[in-house]
Amino acid sequence: MKPRLLVTRAVFPEVTALLAAHFELESNPDDALWSRDDLLARVRDKEALYVVASDRIDAALLDAAPRLRIVATGSVGVDHVDLDACRERGVIVTNTPDVLTEATADLAWALLMAAARRVRESGDWLRDGHWKRWAWDQFLGLDVHGATLGIVGMGRIGSAVARRARGFGMKILYHNRGVAPNEAELGATRVGLEALLREADHVVLVVPHSPATHHLVGARELAWMKPAATLVNVARGGIVDDAALVEALRAGRPAAAGLDVFENEPALEAGLLGLPNAVLTPHVGSATRSARLGMATLAARNLLAWAAGAVPPTCVQAPASAGTTGQR
Ligand code: DGY
C-alpha cells in the first residue's frame, strides 16, 4: 500500500503527478486557505507531509498526526518546523537548499538597488504626474558601486550576494559565527555585528531565523547604522524588529530599506506601507519559475527517496543522524 501524503498547497502539475505515482495523495488543487483545525484534521492519518514555509509544524500538529514519519518543506528555511519535537517523535525533516540560492541573491540585489537609488519612490512620483522638469537634486540616492557591503550570514545565499558585489567594486564585510571557508575567494572580511553595521553602506540580512537571531536587528542595532545606508532583508521576518525599523526609517536612519520578509507576514507592521523609503515585496525571493520548480521538485524527490527506503537527499534532520544544518 502506498504511504498517505498531504500536500498543503497547490503545486506544479508535474510535481503532483510525480507524487501521485508513489503516494496516496490528498492535495489542495484550488490552493484553498485551510484553517489550523482543517490542517489538524487532514494530517491525522498521514505518514508524510509536503508543506511550505507558512505551514506551522509544531508539537500540537505532530501529536495530531501519530503516523507521521516525514515532513518535506519546500523552503530552505525551517524556522516553521519544531525540529526538536520532530526528532523526539522520529519524524524526518527535509528542506530545499541550493536550488533557490541564485534567485534569492538576485532579489537581494534588486531590493538593494531599488532602495539605494529610490526607484520606487521616484517612479511613484512620476506616475503621480509630478514630473515637470529635470533638477540637479531630484531623488538623490546612495552610491552602490565602490561602497561597503555588509552581509549578515555568509552561507550559500550570502556568498551569492557577495559574488555579485565584486562586479560593483565593493568592499565586502560579513558577520558569521565562524570563518566562512570561501572568504578569501570572495575577498570578504569577517567582523562583529556592531562593526559591520557601523561601517557598511548597504547591509543584507541572510541569516536563518532562530531564537538566537530573533530581533538580531532592533532599535540599538539600527542606531549603529550610518544614516546614509540601506538595510535589505531577504531572510526571514523576525530577524528585524519591524516596529523599531518603522521608527528608524521615519527618522531616515537608515536612509532606506528593501524588505521581502516581515515579522508577522502577510500582516505588515503599522506605518510600513506609508514609508516612501521602504521598498516592499511579498516574500518572493525564490520566485522565478526555475527556482520554484527546483524547490518543488527537490521536496518531492526527498519524499520519493524516503518512500523507497533511501535517505532523502537534503535532510535537515533524520532521526538517526546527529546535528542539523541551518545555513541558507
Ligand atoms: C525559503 O526557502 O526559506 C524561502 O523563504 C521560501 O519560503
Side-chain angles (χ1 to χ4, degrees), residues 108 111-112 115-116 142 150 152 196-197 200-205 217-218 221-222 225-226 228-234 239-242 244-245 248-249 253-260 277-279:
L111 290 173
L112 191 163
L142 304 175
V152 181
L196 182 146
L197 292 172
D201 301 301
H202 306 287
V203 174
V204 179
L205 305 175
V217 178
E221 291 74 20
L222 290 163
M225 292 183 72
K226 293 177 177 179
T230 68
L231 177 71
V232 171
N233 187 3
V234 287
I239 294 166
V240 177
D241 176 344
D242 282 355
L245 180 60
L249 288 171
R253 185 190 184 128
L259 308 171
D260 185 48
N277 52 349
V279 181

Side-chain angles (χ1 to χ4, degrees), residues 65-94:
R67 295 164 177 266
L68 191 65
R69 288 292 159 264
I70 181 167
V71 174
T73 181
S75 63
V76 65
V78 288
D79 56 322
H80 55 299
V81 182
D82 183 334
L83 296 178
D84 291 337
C86 285
R87 188 184 303 113
E88 283 159 16
R89 291 160 180 79
V91 174
I92 296 170
V93 179
T94 69

Side-chain angles (χ1 to χ4, degrees), residues 155-277:
R156 298 177 183 89
I157 300 171
S159 300
V161 170
R163 281 197 302 277
R164 287 155 176 73
R166 301 197 68 180
F168 282 81
M170 297 178 95
K171 175 178 169 186
I172 303 169
L173 305 177
Y174 75 98
H175 175 66
N176 245 24
R177 267 178 308 190
V179 174
N182 53 355
E183 67 166 24
E185 176 200 325
L186 296 170
T189 305
R190 181 167 166 250
V191 294
L193 182 62
E194 182 171 350
L196 182 146
L197 292 172
R198 287 192 187 281
E199 279 181 50
D201 301 301
H202 306 287
V203 174
V204 179
L205 305 175
V206 214
V207 76
H209 185 224
S210 69
T213 59
H214 186 71
H215 285 188
L216 184 70
V217 178
R220 180 184 63 156
E221 291 74 20
L222 290 163
W224 289 339
M225 292 183 72
K226 293 177 177 179
T230 68
L231 177 71
V232 171
N233 187 3
V234 287
R236 271 293 180 277
I239 294 166
V240 177
D241 176 344
D242 282 355
L245 180 60
V246 167
E247 285 314 307
L249 288 171
R250 256 191 203 126
R253 185 190 184 128
L259 308 171
D260 185 48
V261 286
F262 305 89
E263 214 172 333
N264 300 304
E265 63 183 55
L268 297 183
E269 183 65 33
L272 197 52
L273 281 177
L275 292 173
N277 52 349

Side-chain angles (χ1 to χ4, degrees), residues 53 75-77 100 235-236 283 286 295 328:
S75 63
V76 65
L100 77 179
R236 271 293 180 277
H283 203 143
S286 59
M295 293 161 72
R328 293 188 74 83

